[in-house]
Each structure stands twice: as C-alpha cells, then as structure tokens.
Amino acid sequence: MDRLIAFLTRNYNVLLFLGLELIAFSILVKFNKSQHTVFSNAVLGVASNIQRVNARLDSYFQLDEENKKLQDENIRLRKQLLKLDASFQAYVHRQPDSSGFLVDRDTTLRESKFKIIPCKAVSYSTSSSYNQVVLNVGKKDGVKKEMGIISSDGVAGVVIAVSERYSLAMSMLNKKINVSARIKGKKIIGTMTWDGEDIRYGSLKFVPQHFHLNRGDSVITSGYSTFFPDGMMIGWVESVSSKNPDGFHNIKVRLSTDFNQLDYLYLLQFEDQNEIDSLLTKNR
Amino acid sequence: MLQVKYFIHFFVYLVLQFFVFERMNIEGYLPPPHVFVLFLVFSPLRLFRATYFISCFSFGILLDALVRPLGAHAFAAVFIAAMRGIWIELVKPNVSNEELQVLEIETQRFSWQMLFLIPLIFLYELCYYILADFALTLQTITKVVSGTVYTALFCVIFTILFYRKTGK
C-alpha cells in the first residue's frame, strides 16, 4: 500500500496527464458521431483480430486433444470396418444347412479377431537398411511381439521387442520384413519385402510370371498371417518386370504409407495369437 | 496576483477565440487561427504542473462546448501542456534548472520565444486536426500546415504586442 502511495505521489503529473487525455478522448468518441463510428469500427476490427488470434492459439493448444479425439474416432471406424469385413467374409462363405438354407459355417467368423491399440511414433529411421520405429506403448498397454502396425494410410511394420512402456518395431523399410500380400480383386499371393534402396518403393516377391498384373493394381495384406487382417492397404503396383529366370515377376510397389511422416499409428492385436503360438511351440 | 492575471487571461482568450477568431476562418481556404495556444504555451512556468494541466483541460473543454467537435481541443490542450515541459528542457536558454522553474517567458529574446512557440503551435494543430477529422489524410495535413501558419501569424503579432517586456 505504501509503495502504491509512493508511486502515485511520484508520478501524479504523468497520471494526471494520462487521465485528462483519456477523459478528453472518451468525450471525443462518445459525443461526436463521426468519431464514434470510426472509433467503434476500429475497436471492432482490433477486437475481432484479437479474437481470431486467440482462437488460433486455443486451437493450437487444443491440437493434442483434437488429435486424440480423431484417433479415437479412427479406432472406432477401423473396428467397425474390421467387423464388417469379417461379417462379409462369413456371408461369402455361407453353406447350405439340412433344409437348404444358407447359414454361416462358423458364427465366430462374424467377429473380427483383431483389436486395435492406438500409439504414437516416438522416433523412427528411414536412412538405414534395417529401419525401425519406437512406439510410446509397451507391455503395460498390452503390446506383444509380432503385433502388426498400421498408419492411417496402410501397413507400417511389425513389433519386434517390447519394454514396459515402449516398444520397438521394424518398419516396412527393413530388409528383414516379410508380409504376406495379395493383389486386390485377384487371387495372386506374394510376399512384400523391401530391397533397402528407395523408401517410397517395396517389392512384391514370389508372384509367378503366368499371372498378369497391371500398373496401379492395389497390393493389400492377404490375411495369411497373425500380423495383419485381410485387406490392409500396402501400396500400388508401380512396374512389373518378367525377365527373371526364376519364374517370378519382379514387382515394384509404391508404398501407401509415407515413412517420413510417421506420427499416429495403430497396433493390431490378434486375439488368438497365444493359442497359435502354443500350437506352434508344441509341434516344433 | 499571478492567479488573478492568469484567470483573467483564461477568460479573455476563451471569449476572443469564440467571438473573434472562430469567425476568421476563410471557408475552404484557411481554418480559424487558434490564438489561445499562445496563452497555453506562454502560461507562467511557476504554476504547479497539475494546476497547469487542469487549467489547459478546462480551457479546452469549455472551448469544445462552444465549437465542436467536443473533446478535440481538450485533448490537444493537455497534450500541448505536456509537450511544453519537454520542449522547454530541449530549447531552454542558458539558465540552471532552478532558474528555469521561475523563468519569465516575456523577458526572453523574441527569437527564442518563436523557437519555443511555433513548434508547439504545429503540434497543437496536428493533434487537433487529426482528432477533428479522425484521420490523417492529405486534407488534414493541408489544414495542419495552413492552420500553423495562420495561427503563428497572429501569435507573432500578439507576442510583439503583449508578451514583450520593455527594456529587455
């Protein structure tokens, strides 16, 4: 209080000057029509600019929250898609019962076997021959080895190691990766790999040369693995070469995922993974 | 005595401005001369600054009540009151700070009086016409320049007649 009084006493001339100017200016804009109009418009303009900047700042600070909402929405839609796809497969594979009506062979087919765990890339590489991605989810989030990873654009990689809070995955840009793939709309199966050269392109191997492929054909997951369900986008056929003496096409595939911009990702958890693992262990 | 003289000047300039000088505008060519700026600028330096600010504001607001727009003269008068304090520090004659507080403007040389007065007239006109037009257009600048010249002309005459002490 003493300081305030001291400040007022020391600067009363300045404060008086500012006060009188403020009163004069208020009178000017309040009692003169043209000044009032110009001033009101100016204030309105400034206020709307401040509000615009404020709204931008707000939206910037709420970006994380918005991203989270979008990611949740994506998960919900992807779950629906997986369920619809499973239902469609069950519908296609119906068989007649004793009375001749078409019924599902197995009612469990109508449910998708995959669950989705949202995650974010903490770091990733694209310059090595064995590129990897570190994810912000680990054992405590239910992540296990050999879970598939997809981005909003398509297949991104497979988990190879898991710690309590983080997990490590090899991306599609890893020379060790093999993903079972097929050409959409055709019964052509192959294995998707990466040759370690261009990060935009992968290779579809083991497609016999008697199959005819076109540039632009979609390459999707085959569903013949526990990493990915059937129909996940991998990329598009860029070029086909049939000069290999081994009898297989040399197919260059443009990858749908941009590996320079990995951010929000989804882990796919195959529900029957444990059962299949134990089966494989017993018969090894 | 000082207060009485100041009080009389206050009303004389106010009445003169409203009844005489406001009618001396040559419509479309020259704005009215604001001769009362001479009173504001040449007010005794011995006055308390707060008293000086309040009297300038009162003069301005009373004049505004007579000639519109309301508030423009009051703002410009307080502005010029503050500027006077800064300007005199920059152009003060060869005197100490203590002497400056009691300096009599009337006793100073005519050239110094003009050096002190004319820039403040310009600032007054600039401030007033910007507020009156509420814009800074070519027309406003024309008014500021012509107003400064016209006002300065009258102020020079008034200075020679009333603000020169004989024998100095």
Side-chain angles (χ1 to χ4, degrees), chain B residues 10-25 32-36 59 62-68 73:
Chain B
F10 185 101
F11 282 100
V12 168
Y13 274 101
L14 191 63
V15 169
L16 273 179
Q17 184 63 34
F18 180 61
F19 287 107
V20 182
F21 296 118
E22 281 299 320
R23 284 156 178 75
M24 288 178 72
N25 63 323
H34 297 133
V35 183
F36 62 87
F59 189 96
L62 284 172
L63 187 60
D64 280 326
L66 302 170
V67 290
R68 298 296 162 130
H73 277 304

Side-chain angles (χ1 to χ4, degrees), chain A residues 21-32, chain B residues 57 61 64 70-72 74:
Chain A
E21 290 293 54
L22 192 67
I23 293 168
F25 191 78
S26 306
I27 291 169
L28 185 80
V29 294
K30 192 171 170 65
F31 295 103
N32 300 289
Chain B
F57 177 79
I61 206 77
D64 280 326
L70 196 62

Side-chain angles (χ1 to χ4, degrees), chain A residues 13 17 21 27-28 32 35 38, chain B residues 69-70 75 78-79 131-132 134:
Chain A
N13 278 326
F17 163 71
E21 290 293 54
I27 291 169
L28 185 80
N32 300 289
Q35 277 87 347
V38 175
Chain B
L70 196 62
F75 190 99
V78 176
F79 179 69
L131 290 175
F134 224 63

